[in-house]
Amino acid sequence: MLKEISIGEAAKRSGVKVPTIRYYEQIGLLAAPARTDGNRRHYEDTDIRRLAFIRHARELGFEIDSIRTLLHLQDDPNQPCETADGIANARLIEVEQRIRSLNALKAELELMVEGCRHGRVAECRVIEILADHGKCAHAQH
Amino acid sequence: MLKEISIGEAAKRSGVKVPTIRYYEQIGLLAAPARTDGNRRHYEDTDIRRLAFIRHARELGFEIDSIRTLLHLQDDPNQPCETADGIANARLIEVEQRIRSLNALKAELELMVEGCRHGRVAECRVIEILADHGKCAHAQH
DNA sequence: GCTACATGCTCTAGTGACTAGAGGAGCAAG
DNA sequence: CTTGCTCCTCTAGTCACTAGAGCATGTAGC
């Protein structure tokens, strides 16, 4: 007889924390699994794969709603993959924008930190730049 | 007699939205201003500068608690500026890490999107990579 | 003075994606 | 049989706002 996968075991195998698994069940991202006599959840291998899929997508910054769509697509392999492609593409554009904006922030933070002469707050470059946006180096923010 | 600055005017001048200004007052980030006879807030120029400071810091991704500390420092210009420097430095390190991680994500998303042949979901690279972390290009995530 | 309409007020609840904690039950090992 | 771990449900908290209800006040045109 196969050993049943407890929620703790599922967490270990998928890398998704126990309360998060329960949360995903609650919001309907993961189907409610069967229960043991003692009312404990037990999972199948397919659930573990689904959890790993979700975790990976979350790491890539996809929103729960996008993941919901991606999971539906995965369940129906004959559909054209334009929707999946579109979601990934949208996310790629987001990430590119975020990188650009973070690079601008980085430049400005470097200016602050380098300009700081470790003296008094009165002549601190960090405080000064924060107080006056005009002192920013053309940062796109 | 000077024209009093209403909350709407303060919002325009500082770039912080009206409900957000009230929120900052509520959490004690901005001192409660004086009120008119009709119980409306009216602000001074110093409040506007403080709001602009907060807005700029928020744009740079500083947390409210850090901003609280930075504001205290600004109020006391004789203090050494190490704390401010430390906060900015911590934020810089965060931003640098975030950029690295986003670059890894970008690479992976590009792989997905480029690999997609616009066919069926069954052979879609997007879904495939999401389902199997092992297919990632050594991404640090 | 009257009528719109904008702007202000307070208060509560909602967002996203979890996370923390209370209070209890089940289960395996020593 | 007791210890200690994992599990259960439920509620509330996190962060930094944002949205909306329901009302009061202020202002511009007539």
Side-chain angles (χ1 to χ4, degrees):
Chain A
M1 186 178 168
L2 288 165
K3 190 155 179 295
E4 284 167 350
I5 304 171
S6 71
I7 194 165
E9 184 62 24
K12 252 178 245 160
R13 291 200 206 171
S14 67
V16 180
K17 286 186 215 150
V18 170
T20 306
I21 295 177
R22 283 196 280 249
Y23 168 71
Y24 286 160
E25 180 183 326
Q26 190 193 304
I27 61 166
L29 199 60
L30 191 74
R35 300 279 184 135
T36 64
D37 291 350
N39 196 34
R40 304 190 161 197
R41 291 166 179 84
H42 69 269
Y43 294 91
E44 313 288 326
D45 281 341
T46 53
D47 297 315
I48 309 301
R49 279 197 294 276
R50 215 169 171 86
L51 279 169
F53 184 101
I54 296 169
R55 189 189 130 222
H56 193 190
R58 286 294 301 137
E59 279 172 355
L60 289 169
F62 290 98
E63 289 169 10
I64 297 284
D65 258 13
S66 302
I67 297 175
R68 212 183 286 274
T69 307
L70 290 169
L71 283 169
H72 282 311
L73 286 175
Q74 199 190 24
D75 291 341
D76 191 356
N78 276 328
Q79 283 201 280
C81 69
E82 272 153 35
T83 312
D85 190 42
I87 291 171
N89 232 318
R91 179 71 192 134
L92 178 57
I93 289 165
E94 258 176 52
V95 167
E96 282 168 348
Q97 268 172 8
R98 190 95 185 98
I99 290 173
R100 270 197 299 281
S101 134
L102 283 177
N103 273 322
L105 296 197
K106 180 169 173 269
E108 195 167 344
L109 286 165
E110 276 167 351
L111 209 73
M112 282 186 184
V113 171
E114 279 164 23
C116 176
R117 294 277 159 269
H118 310 289
R120 306 281 127 189
V121 166
E123 64 261 12
C124 179
R125 190 100 176 108
V126 172
I127 299 282
E128 191 188 341
I129 294 186
L130 281 172
D132 185 359
H133 199 163
K135 294 211 173 72
C136 291
H138 310 78
Q140 247 67 272
H141 64 261
Chain B
M1 184 180 167
L2 287 166
K3 191 156 178 295
E4 285 166 348
I5 304 171
S6 71
I7 195 167
E9 183 62 25
K12 253 179 243 160
R13 291 202 206 170
S14 66
V16 179
K17 286 185 215 152
V18 169
T20 307
I21 295 177
R22 283 196 280 249
Y23 168 71
Y24 287 160
E25 179 183 327
Q26 191 193 302
I27 62 167
L29 199 61
L30 190 74
R35 301 277 184 137
T36 64
D37 290 350
N39 195 35
R40 302 188 163 199
R41 292 166 177 85
H42 69 269
Y43 295 91
E44 313 288 325
D45 282 340
T46 53
D47 297 315
I48 308 301
R49 280 197 293 276
R50 215 171 171 85
L51 279 169
F53 184 102
I54 297 170
R55 190 189 129 220
H56 194 189
R58 286 293 302 136
E59 279 171 356
L60 289 169
F62 290 97
E63 288 171 10
I64 297 284
D65 258 13
S66 302
I67 297 175
R68 213 184 285 274
T69 308
L70 290 169
L71 283 169
H72 283 310
L73 287 175
Q74 200 190 22
D75 291 342
D76 190 356
N78 277 326
Q79 284 203 278
C81 69
E82 272 153 35
T83 312
D85 190 44
I87 291 172
N89 230 319
R91 179 70 193 134
L92 178 58
I93 289 165
E94 257 176 53
V95 167
E96 281 168 349
Q97 268 173 8
R98 191 92 186 101
I99 289 172
R100 271 198 297 281
S101 134
L102 283 177
N103 273 321
L105 295 198
K106 180 167 172 271
E108 196 167 341
L109 285 167
E110 275 166 350
L111 210 74
M112 280 185 185
V113 171
E114 279 163 24
C116 176
R117 295 276 159 269
H118 310 288
R120 306 279 127 191
V121 167
E123 62 262 13
C124 179
R125 190 101 178 109
V126 171
I127 300 282
E128 193 187 342
I129 294 185
L130 282 171
D132 185 359
H133 198 162
K135 294 210 173 73
C136 291
H138 309 78
Q140 246 68 270
H141 65 259

